[in-house]
Amino acid sequence: MEGNMLYVPLFINGKLQESLKTKQLINPANYDEIIGVAYLGSREDAKAAIEAAYKAFPSWSRTNSFERSELLKKAATLIRERREELSRYLTLETGKPLKDVLKEVDFAARVIEYYAEEAIRINGEIVSSILANVRCLVIRQPIGVAGLIVPWNFPVDLLAWKLGAALAAGCTVVVKPSSEAPIASTEFAITVHRAGFPPGVINVVPGLAAEVGAELIENPRVAKISFTGDTETGKIVLEQSAKQLKRVSLELGGNAPAIICDDANIELAIAGCVRRAFSNMGQICISINRVYVYRKIAEKFINGVIEATSKLKIGNGLDPKVDLGPMFREELREKTRRHIKDAVAKGAEVLFGGSEPEGAEFEKGYFFLPTILTNVNHNMIIMRDETFGPVMPIMEVDGDDEAIQLANDSRYGLAAYVYTQNISRAIKMAEALEAGGVGININDVSELQAPFGGWKMSGIGRELSPHAIDGYTEYKTVRIAVI
């Protein structure tokens, strides 16, 4: 950082590096404000990073698991020491409110700490043999170099999910941050390195998907790709990786339904839906994208949602009183407008929002009002595709079977939510909903010690929990004849 300008370097083999290509980074709350300059890596830079990781792998993969654990614990401490600094970077580059990004950095430190603990629990097995003089061992070994492709919406949190599991397993990594929001994720990775990891274990190359991303996917020395992003890009990653039968985990798009049953705690449901639909301006893969409320309680629920939404404060995320910042870029705001316009043309009613907020403080940012729609149906784009914007479409239903059928009428299956006080109904719906995570009376499906991932077009593989480490290890069977 020079003065008030942030410079985002490449980090290869333990050294900060510059590149020939650069990109100006803007503040989504004021697109006239340039907050930094990122050096964008080329294919050659990506190759250099892969080579560094490949050369570091033999030594790093043989380190004692307790040594890896101690380094990760120290990394978590260093992250906490930079909590405010990393959080400010996140707000400047993504627009998210400071009070939310502080939680993101805190959780990222917890994730790294968690994988410090899991590093010493990567166990094998002794299995019985059909032969009396043979002993059979099953061991787990790190897969090799892992390419970690991180999105812009949660660049620190989601990097921690991938990086913690990979390092605990004994893999070396090349991180590709989003070229649009590389500041906090690059600084986060460098902070982890400074805990004492050997050069080449952690490498970072911000850059374009067509160059850095392509090299990670096509280079045979990369054994594993972990990608978080949109479904269409995920399909390309899978298709290209298949040419080398490369291990792939994909955490992709969602179109999460929320079912509000007639016995729900209405106040809890209102607060939960407003938070999960509008947090980070709806730019979250597990955002509530569709609400199915039972007709009997619909009026009360809708009025409550409007009242709660009207109290949300919109503005620059650096203001500690702000609940909602800007959207990340104009293309996403325009997509939100298109989805709303399509819904209204097909009969939807806008009860709140639907446009940009008024006022001079909003004129140069990608701000948009949280929006509530009713009279929606499944012929509307907004009920079928991921908007990735601050819109809550509400559809009235008559019972459990209809709600489940509509909720499952989607090509996505990342998350789903149910509000009910009937335990039998809760279990029935949780089992019937086609999603990798179901929240009952809670608006979040991620749990550090439980697997996170999607069904259907929402992805392959799992993040978090010990299960994430499975994606960074290979099983090996060792048969020993006793002679």
Side-chain angles (χ1 to χ4, degrees):
M1 182 171 180
E2 296 181 14
N4 293 322
M5 184 67 71
L6 295 162
Y7 287 88
V8 185
L10 283 61
F11 185 70
I12 299 173
N13 205 28
K15 297 179 181 179
L16 302 177
Q17 298 184 20
E18 298 179 356
S19 61
L20 296 176
K21 186 182 295 185
T22 61
K23 177 183 176 67
Q24 290 185 335
L25 305 172
I26 65 167
N27 182 353
N30 179 3
Y31 45 68
D32 283 347
E33 179 187 353
I34 299 171
I35 59 172
V37 174
Y39 289 100
L40 300 183
S42 63
R43 266 191 179 265
E44 291 304 312
D45 293 318
K47 285 178 183 177
I50 293 166
E51 189 65 22
Y54 186 77
K55 289 180 177 178
F57 176 73
S59 175
W60 173 247
S61 64
R62 290 193 296 268
T63 55
N64 184 284
S65 61
F66 285 87
E67 182 181 343
R68 297 200 297 270
S69 177
E70 288 303 314
L71 288 173
L72 286 166
K73 287 177 184 176
K74 185 176 179 181
T77 299
L78 295 179
I79 292 162
R80 291 186 175 108
E81 290 175 358
R82 297 190 69 189
R83 175 179 185 257
E84 284 75 19
E85 182 185 4
L86 292 170
S87 297
R88 182 175 173 81
Y89 293 160
L90 276 170
T91 294
L92 285 172
E93 66 182 338
T94 68
K96 290 192 285 187
L98 191 58
K99 61 184 178 182
D100 289 341
V101 296
L102 284 165
K103 295 177 184 177
E104 179 175 346
V105 174
D106 287 344
F107 187 68
R110 286 183 61 201
V111 170
I112 296 298
E113 193 170 59
Y114 171 77
Y115 280 111
E117 298 166 356
E118 287 301 318
I120 62 174
R121 290 193 281 267
I122 303 175
N123 301 317
E125 304 172 65
I126 300 176
V127 299
S128 299
S129 173
I130 60 173
L131 300 176
N133 70 324
V134 170
R135 305 296 180 264
C136 190
L137 312 179
V138 180
I139 64 174
R140 295 168 66 187
Q141 295 180 289
I143 193 170
V145 177
L148 312 181
I149 303 176
V150 184
W152 56 263
N153 61 332
F154 281 87
V156 165
D157 190 20
L158 296 179
L159 174 55
W161 294 15
K162 301 174 190 300
L163 188 60
L167 295 175
C171 293
T172 56
V173 303
V174 178
V175 178
K176 182 203 167 300
S178 165
S179 61
E180 297 175 297
I183 303 171
S185 51
T186 299
E187 287 297 319
F188 181 87
I190 293 172
T191 302
V192 174
H193 164 82
R194 287 174 178 160
F197 287 86
V201 172
I202 301 171
N203 306 274
V204 187
V205 186
L208 302 177
E211 296 188 44
V212 178
E215 185 62 32
L216 287 174
I217 293 166
E218 295 170 13
N219 193 306
R221 290 192 164 178
V222 177
K224 155 84 176 187
I225 294 290
S226 178
F227 170 84
T228 299
D230 68 274
T231 295
E232 295 310 309
T233 304
K235 289 179 184 178
I236 296 170
V237 171
L238 183 60
E239 180 183 5
Q240 295 300 314
S241 298
K243 294 176 181 178
Q244 298 175 26
L245 295 182
K246 192 167 294 196
R247 287 279 198 93
V248 175
S249 58
L250 305 171
E251 197 265 280
L252 306 177
N255 190 22
I259 298 173
I260 317 302
C261 300
D262 51 12
D263 66 341
N265 179 323
I266 295 292
E267 289 71 26
L268 182 67
I270 289 167
C273 287
V274 169
R275 172 66 181 170
R276 185 48 63 208
F278 300 137
S279 176
N280 197 25
M281 295 302 284
Q283 299 165 132
I284 307 175
C285 56
I286 58 170
S287 284
I288 289 176
N289 303 115
R290 305 170 281 146
V291 175
Y292 302 101
V293 59
Y294 287 37
R295 205 173 302 277
K296 178 180 176 181
I297 60 165
E299 183 176 358
K300 184 177 181 181
F301 174 80
I302 292 168
N303 289 338
V305 166
I306 293 171
E307 181 182 0
T309 303
S310 68
K311 296 177 181 178
L312 297 174
K313 179 176 173 59
I314 303 172
N316 190 314
L318 292 175
D319 181 346
K321 296 179 181 179
V322 160
D323 300 302
L324 302 176
M327 298 191 71
F328 182 63
R329 60 176 182 258
E330 179 57 29
E331 297 95 309
L332 292 167
R333 188 165 64 164
E334 180 56 33
K335 180 182 179 183
T336 301
R337 294 191 195 101
R338 289 199 310 271
H339 282 203
I340 294 170
K341 183 178 180 181
D342 172 81
V344 170
K346 294 173 181 175
E349 183 179 356
V350 179
L351 298 189
F352 190 93
S355 62
E356 295 79 29
E358 296 180 355
E361 67 270 34
F362 303 117
E363 289 178 357
K364 293 186 177 182
Y366 303 126
F367 294 98
F368 201 85
L369 288 170
T371 300
I372 300 165
L373 302 178
T374 56
N375 296 330
V376 295
N377 60 64
H378 275 225
N379 292 322
M380 299 171 182
I381 296 173
I382 206 161
M383 298 295 281
R384 307 199 69 84
D385 290 345
E386 184 177 39
T387 301
F388 228 57
V391 187
M392 186 195 301
I394 303 173
M395 184 175 181
E396 297 181 22
V397 295
D398 292 312
D400 293 7
D401 291 342
E402 183 185 11
I404 292 169
Q405 186 274 321
L406 288 168
N408 287 339
D409 182 22
S410 173
R411 63 182 184 138
Y412 298 105
L414 187 58
Y417 306 92
V418 178
Y419 284 84
T420 177
Q421 298 184 80
N422 183 310
I423 187 62
S424 295
R425 173 185 262 170
I427 293 172
K428 173 188 172 184
M429 287 192 164
E431 293 177 350
L433 288 166
E434 297 168 355
V438 178
I440 306 292
N441 298 323
I442 190 169
N443 65 353
D444 193 353
V445 298
S446 59
E447 183 71 50
L448 180 51
Q449 299 184 84
F452 178 93
W455 289 17
K456 300 193 277 191
M457 289 288 203
S458 288
I460 297 171
R462 291 296 180 265
E463 306 264 21
L464 298 178
S465 81
H467 297 280
I469 295 176
D470 290 344
Y472 297 96
T473 58
E474 292 279 21
Y475 286 84
K476 180 183 288 182
T477 298
V478 180
R479 298 184 78 218
I480 305 170
V482 180
I483 56 176

